[in-house]
């Protein structure tokens, strides 16, 4: 088959020759011309290929140079140290950050063994990194990341965070190491731990201080209120009775302030536990009304409590904390209302699963709160202005405590108020449904005194002379035979020698405290030492104190200053069984 180029030329010649054959020379010229034309086209193509090859080579070099430049720029600008080493452990490259971390320049490290940057192999915190290096180089481990130690040029050992990974290439394996100096982080962590330890120590010191102050303040208050109660019972003249009532009121008011401060500390420290017991909302409300109704009547204002008929008779929750909340709110309403009334509404908002969502509203026609002060009244130690503190008194903690108690139960308190018109505090409290339909109410504190406890033998363990006198007067008035021990050690000796029906045990005493004395008595082998009731007489109302009383084997506790009727009922309960718990209560 003739080449197309030659065929084209032959056709041209045929057109020129009108007939017959054409000369050979002309044909050869055509052939030569065709070859020359083909050679020219090949030369052009060869030139084009050479040009493209050169351009591609230059482009490839540029890409390679750019890539190396990018890698170099990255290595030089990252804050972490980066170095590479080969399978023999020789350092290949080191970025600026790594040079700064270790204190070397790059030329000092290139070709050196990676072990130059590690502490002595005997160093316990370097062992893991040395082992990991061997495993990575040998191929048994692909990567490594952990906190370890490294060695600076000046010999200083410092904490690091190290990551090592392997990259395989045509020239062999390269190991990329990223190093971060974590000295500041470790220092910060150590400072945090130290600060935490100091804070915990301060919290313990604060608790101990408050416990001690509670004891020291409430102990003389026990004498003041106790002696006042004794004098009131001794048929004083009317003018003396008036003075004694003022003294009693002032003492109890001071005690409320002390309790507020101690309660605030418990809440701030997160040491508030909520009970879940069956109780009657109606009883809580009536008790508060009776307690605050006298003051409301004395001021000539009304106090009304309305309860939703849909409310169940019994609910499950913490009646003590609910009473504290309502006492604060209703007490404030009565205190700041000079005319008009205080209204309390308790209504069932919703029942859902085992929960009862109950609305509480306390509204008064009192002095009200300025709009710009509404947010701040819930802050600690705050009242709306200083003249209120001077006129009405108080610590400014009541609403703060109330707010926190409500929040700790998963709710929030809200306030609407208008200056000179009145205020309304309201919140919704989630309580649980109770399986019980009714409660046989126990009214121990309001129960009549068991006047005759004749023949009952009590060991009173108390170091304070005034407290001894006050307690002995009450106990003797009830016909009780009293033996006094001035500290726990004397008490343990007397208990061995004599038989007592009950022990009233102070907690904080010299020589031996009440906790140790109780544990000692309970450790005696005879059965009577295990069964004798031991009632703690404590001036501390802090939660750890109450818990500790139970843990050492005490039967119950009575807070000082004690209420005569409470002490009387506890003695009667544990000695005579005069006050029995209802069967339903016992089963709960």
């Amino acid at each position: 088959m003739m080449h197309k180029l030659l065929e084209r030329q032959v056709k041209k010649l045929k057109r020129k020759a009108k007939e017959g054959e054409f000369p050979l020379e002309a044909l050869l010229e055509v052939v030569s011309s065709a070859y020359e034309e083909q050679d020219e086209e090949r030369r052009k193509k060869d030139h084009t290929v050479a040009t493209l090859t050169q351009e591609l080579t230059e482009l490839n070099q540029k890409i390679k140079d750019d890539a190396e430049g990018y890698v170099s720029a990255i290595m030089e600008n990252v804050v972490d140290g980066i170095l590479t080493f080969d399978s023999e452990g020789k350092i290949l490259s080191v970025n600026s950050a790594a040079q700064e971390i270790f204190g070397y320049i790059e030329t000092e490290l290139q070709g050196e063994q990676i072990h130059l940057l590690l502490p002595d192999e005997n160093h316990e915190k370097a062992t893991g990194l040395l082992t990991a290096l061997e495993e990575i180089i040998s191929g048994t481990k692909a990567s490594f990341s952990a906190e370890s130690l490294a060695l600076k040029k000046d010999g200083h050992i410092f904490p690091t965070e190290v990551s090592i990974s392997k990259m395989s290439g045509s020239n062999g394996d390269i190991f990329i190491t990223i190093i971060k100096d974590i000295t500041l982080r470790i220092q910060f962590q150590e400072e945090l731990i130290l600060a935490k330890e100091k804070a915990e120590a301060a919290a313990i010191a604060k608790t101990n201080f408050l416990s001690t102050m509670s004891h020291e303040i409430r102990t003389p208050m026990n004498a003041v209120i106790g002696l006042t109660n004794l004098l009131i019972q001794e048929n004083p003249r009317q003018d003396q009775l008036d003075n004694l009532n003022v003294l009693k009121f002032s003492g109890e008011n001071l005690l409320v302030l002390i309790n507020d401060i101690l309660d605030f500390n418990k809440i701030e420290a997160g040491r508030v536990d909520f009970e879940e017991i069956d109780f009657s909302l109606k009883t809580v409300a009536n008790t508060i009304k009776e307690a605050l109704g006298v003051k409301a009547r004395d001021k000539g204002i009304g106090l009304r409590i309305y309860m939703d008929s849909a409310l169940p008779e019994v609910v499950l929750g913490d009646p003590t904390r609910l009473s504290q909340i309502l006492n604060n709110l209703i007490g404030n309403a009565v205190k700041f209302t000079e005319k008009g009334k205080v209204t309390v509404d308790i209504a069932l908002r919703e029942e859902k699963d085992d929960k009862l969502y109950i609305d509480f509203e306390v509204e008064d026609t009192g002095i009200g709160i300025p709009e710009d002060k509404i947010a701040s009244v819930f802050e600690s130690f705050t009242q709306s202005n200083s003249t209120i503190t001077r006129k009405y008194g108080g610590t400014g903690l009541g609403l703060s405590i109330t707010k926190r108690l409500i929040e700790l139960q998963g709710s929030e308190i809200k306030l609407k108020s208008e200056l000179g018109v009145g205020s309304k505090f309201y919140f919704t409290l989630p309580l649980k449904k109770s399986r019980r339909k009714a409660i046989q109410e126990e009214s121990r504190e309001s129960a009549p005194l068991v006047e005759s406890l004749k023949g009952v033998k009590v060991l009173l363990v108390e170091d304070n002379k005034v407290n001894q006198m006050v307690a002995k007067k009450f106990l003797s008035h009830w016909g009780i035979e009293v033996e006094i021990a001035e500290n726990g050690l004397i008490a343990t000796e007397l208990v061995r020698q004599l038989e007592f029906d009950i022990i009233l045990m102070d907690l904080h005493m010299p020589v031996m405290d009440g906790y140790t004395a109780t544990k000692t008595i309970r450790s005696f082998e005879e059965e009577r030492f295990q069964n004798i009731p031991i009632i703690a007489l404590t001036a501390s109302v802090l939660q750890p104190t109450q818990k500790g009383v139970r843990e050492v084997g005490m039967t119950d506790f009575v807070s000082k200053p004690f209420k005569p009727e409470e002490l009387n009922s506890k003695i009667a309960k544990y000695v005579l069984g005069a006050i029995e718990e209802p069967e339903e209560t016992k089963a709960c």
Side-chain angles (χ1 to χ4, degrees):
M1 181 179 288
M2 188 180 295
H3 193 277
K4 288 184 179 181
L5 181 61
L6 183 59
E7 185 180 10
R8 190 165 57 247
Q9 295 299 327
V10 169
K11 284 181 179 179
K12 287 181 181 178
L13 287 174
K14 283 184 177 180
R15 284 197 298 270
K16 290 180 180 179
K18 294 182 179 180
E19 57 183 40
E21 295 183 2
F22 49 84
L24 180 60
E25 292 83 358
L27 177 60
L28 293 175
E29 287 178 7
V30 169
V31 172
S32 176
S33 175
Y35 277 115
E36 287 178 1
E37 192 174 338
Q38 186 176 5
D39 288 343
E40 181 64 24
E41 287 183 8
R42 186 171 60 251
R43 282 193 297 272
K44 287 181 180 179
K45 287 180 181 179
D46 288 345
H47 177 73
T48 300
V49 169
T51 302
L52 288 174
T53 300
Q54 179 64 29
E55 290 177 354
L56 285 172
T57 302
E58 291 174 357
L59 180 60
N60 185 52
Q61 185 62 43
K62 185 175 184 303
I63 291 171
K64 183 179 179 181
D65 292 343
D66 288 346
E68 290 177 353
Y70 291 146
V71 171
S72 177
I74 291 171
M75 287 186 64
E76 290 304 311
N77 286 284
V78 293
V79 294
D80 295 337
I82 300 176
L83 60 84
T84 61
F85 61 91
D86 60 21
S87 57
E88 294 179 354
K90 290 182 180 180
I91 298 172
L92 302 176
S93 63
V94 186
N95 75 341
S96 297
Q99 294 172 53
E100 186 176 347
I101 289 172
F102 289 101
Y104 290 96
I105 60 174
E106 187 172 19
T107 54
E108 291 177 310
L109 290 175
Q110 285 177 334
E112 295 290 341
Q113 286 291 316
I114 189 70
H115 291 76
L116 176 68
L117 304 177
L118 301 177
D120 186 89
E121 61 182 7
N122 295 323
H123 200 296
E124 59 179 28
K125 290 192 176 180
T127 305
L129 181 56
L130 290 169
T131 304
L133 271 173
E134 293 172 2
E135 291 174 344
I136 289 173
I137 292 174
S138 65
T140 57
K141 180 179 282 189
S143 63
F144 171 79
S145 181
E147 289 185 6
S148 186
L149 296 175
L151 182 65
K152 290 181 181 286
K153 181 180 179 180
D154 61 8
H156 176 66
I157 296 173
F158 64 100
T160 62
E161 192 174 80
V162 181
S163 296
I164 305 174
S165 57
K166 182 172 71 173
M167 183 175 69
S168 298
S170 57
N171 296 324
D173 295 334
I174 295 177
F175 300 90
I176 301 172
T177 306
I178 300 174
I179 299 172
K180 183 180 293 184
D181 185 343
I182 58 172
T183 301
L184 292 178
R185 184 205 298 176
I186 297 297
Q187 288 176 352
F188 182 64
Q189 289 173 347
E190 290 174 350
E191 288 170 1
L192 280 179
I193 291 170
L194 182 61
K196 179 176 177 289
E197 290 172 351
K198 287 182 177 179
E200 288 172 348
I204 292 171
K206 180 181 177 183
T207 299
N208 291 338
F209 171 76
L210 285 168
S211 179
T212 302
M213 290 308 297
S214 170
H215 181 267
E216 294 301 320
I217 295 172
R218 292 168 69 89
T219 295
M221 287 304 302
N222 179 52
V224 172
I225 296 175
L227 285 173
T228 303
N229 283 324
L230 279 173
L231 291 171
I232 289 173
Q233 293 178 12
E234 293 178 355
N235 298 317
R237 298 192 311 268
Q238 184 60 47
D239 61 322
Q240 293 174 328
L241 181 61
D242 291 340
N243 291 335
L244 289 170
N245 282 330
V246 171
L247 181 61
K248 181 182 179 182
F249 173 80
S250 299
E252 290 175 344
N253 194 47
L254 178 57
L255 196 59
V256 168
L257 300 184
I258 294 167
N259 288 340
D260 268 356
I261 293 170
L262 295 172
D263 219 11
F264 177 74
N265 174 68
K266 284 195 294 184
I267 291 169
E268 288 297 295
R271 294 195 301 268
V272 178
D273 296 320
F274 291 91
E275 289 186 301
E276 276 196 1
I277 61 173
D278 294 307
F279 71 96
S280 166
L281 275 172
K282 183 178 179 181
T283 299
V284 169
N286 287 339
T287 302
I288 293 171
K289 185 176 179 182
E290 288 175 12
L292 297 174
V294 175
K295 187 174 182 180
R297 287 193 296 273
D298 289 345
K299 296 184 71 173
I301 62 173
L303 174 57
R304 301 285 182 270
I305 298 180
Y306 299 99
M307 297 194 65
D308 187 352
S309 60
L311 285 167
E313 180 68 24
V314 184
V315 295
L316 194 64
D318 192 328
T320 303
R321 291 301 180 186
L322 178 58
S323 296
Q324 186 177 5
I325 291 167
L326 294 177
N327 260 315
N328 273 335
L329 294 176
I330 300 171
N332 273 355
V334 171
K335 178 164 66 172
F336 296 125
T337 301
E338 299 299 332
K339 59 180 180 179
K341 61 183 178 178
V342 174
T343 305
V344 182
D345 281 299
I346 305 174
L348 180 64
R349 172 185 286 266
E350 180 185 10
E351 289 188 47
K352 191 174 182 181
D353 300 327
D354 66 335
K355 292 283 184 69
L356 299 165
Y357 294 88
I358 300 173
D359 289 336
F360 295 85
E361 291 184 2
V362 178
E363 189 169 8
D364 64 60
T365 57
I367 60 175
I369 302 167
E371 187 175 350
D372 62 335
K373 299 289 184 180
I374 286 178
S376 65
V377 296
F378 293 107
E379 295 176 3
S380 308
F381 306 102
T382 301
Q383 292 184 334
S384 61
N385 63 63
S386 58
T387 59
I388 288 178
T389 305
R390 290 194 295 270
K391 182 176 179 180
Y392 294 99
T395 59
L397 288 176
L399 287 179
S400 177
I401 291 170
T402 298
K403 179 175 183 288
R404 291 292 292 126
L405 288 175
I406 291 172
E407 287 174 345
L408 288 170
Q409 296 179 84
S411 187
E412 63 175 330
I413 188 168
K414 297 179 181 178
L415 165 63
K416 291 180 181 177
S417 187
E418 186 177 344
L419 192 62
V421 176
S423 304
K424 180 170 77 171
F425 292 84
Y426 57 103
F427 60 95
T428 302
L429 202 63
L431 297 173
K432 288 187 177 180
K433 294 179 181 178
S434 172
R435 294 181 180 180
R436 296 173 63 182
K437 300 300 181 184
I439 287 181
Q440 181 179 345
E441 294 298 333
E442 299 177 70
S443 53
R444 294 179 187 176
E445 291 189 11
S446 59
L449 293 175
V450 180
E451 293 289 351
S452 179
L453 292 169
K454 189 174 181 180
V456 173
K457 295 180 180 179
V458 170
L459 175 60
L460 174 63
V461 190
E462 170 67 68
D463 65 308
N464 186 279
K465 297 292 184 183
V466 177
N467 286 346
Q468 289 175 7
M469 181 190 70
V470 172
K472 188 172 182 179
K473 277 182 174 289
F474 278 109
L475 296 171
S476 299
H477 181 73
W478 299 329
I480 293 173
E481 297 177 19
V482 184
E483 187 78 30
I484 295 176
E486 294 184 353
N487 59 60
L489 182 60
I490 296 173
T492 59
E493 294 169 355
L494 284 174
V495 168
R496 278 188 179 278
Q497 298 168 13
L498 305 172
E499 290 199 10
F500 297 97
D501 297 305
I502 192 168
I503 300 171
L504 303 179
M505 181 77 74
D506 188 26
L507 297 182
H508 300 281
M509 295 176 291
V511 184
M512 182 184 286
D513 62 30
Y515 297 106
T516 307
T518 300
K519 286 193 288 187
T520 302
I521 293 168
R522 295 300 190 208
S523 70
F524 296 157
E525 292 183 2
E526 293 180 45
E527 187 177 348
R528 65 188 180 94
F529 298 121
Q530 315 306 317
N531 296 330
I532 185 170
I534 302 178
I535 307 296
L537 289 178
T538 172
S540 175
V541 294
L542 297 178
Q543 191 77 21
T545 301
Q546 297 178 15
K547 184 180 179 182
V549 162
R550 301 289 190 184
E551 287 177 347
V552 298
M554 294 188 185
T555 313
D556 207 334
F557 68 91
V558 173
S559 295
K560 292 190 293 188
F562 63 80
K563 295 180 181 178
E565 59 270 24
E566 182 184 8
L567 181 60
N568 180 279
S569 68
K570 290 283 175 78
I571 294 172
K573 172 185 175 181
Y574 292 111
V575 175
L576 305 179
I579 299 177
E580 289 289 342
E581 294 188 19
E583 289 301 317
E584 281 186 274
T585 304
K586 290 180 181 178
C588 289

